[in-house]
Amino acid sequence: MVLAAKSITLFIVAGLLEIGGGYLVWRWWRSGAPLLVGMVGAAALVSYGIVPTYQPAHFGRVYAAYGGWFVVLSLLWGWAVDNTPPDRFDIIGGAICLAGVGVIMYWPR
């Protein structure tokens, strides 16, 4: 259980770094934010590339499972930052994605 909690925490941290970094680069490139905003975003994206290396599984499994977390975290980011709440289909889709994560990462083998 501790291993799963650590793994989930790593997925969430990676997701926040990727989505947050991408958002900051977007703000710099598309919305005219200062270059420093884009540089912080780029640093977050590099950090995102490092965090998943601490996962206990192999690359393919980690990145496949991360895709499910990315979907859910993106919806939550849109709700928190863009004030766009997920609708019932977003919630259903996110739940399906997390179920897939559970099978890929944590199902006994």
Side-chain angles (χ1 to χ4, degrees):
M1 195 56 158
V2 171
L3 191 59
K6 178 182 175 187
S7 174
I8 291 167
T9 300
L10 288 169
F11 278 129
I12 292 170
V13 169
L16 292 175
L17 287 168
E18 184 184 15
I19 297 164
Y23 178 77
L24 292 175
V25 169
W26 178 284
R27 294 274 322 253
W28 162 65
W29 191 255
R30 296 270 310 255
S31 302
L35 175 61
L36 181 59
V37 172
M39 291 172 61
V40 170
L45 289 168
V46 169
S47 298
Y48 148 72
I50 295 168
V51 170
T53 66
Y54 294 98
Q55 289 284 1
H58 64 80
F59 179 86
R61 184 170 293 147
V62 168
Y63 274 79
Y66 173 68
W69 279 104
F70 182 82
V71 169
V72 171
L73 292 170
S74 295
L75 292 169
L76 293 173
W77 184 276
W79 191 7
V81 175
D82 291 331
N83 200 28
T84 306
D87 63 23
R88 67 180 181 206
F89 300 106
D90 295 330
I91 293 168
I92 292 167
I96 291 168
C97 289
L98 288 182
V101 168
V103 171
I104 291 169
M105 282 296 291
Y106 309 115
W107 200 268
R109 288 178 163 71

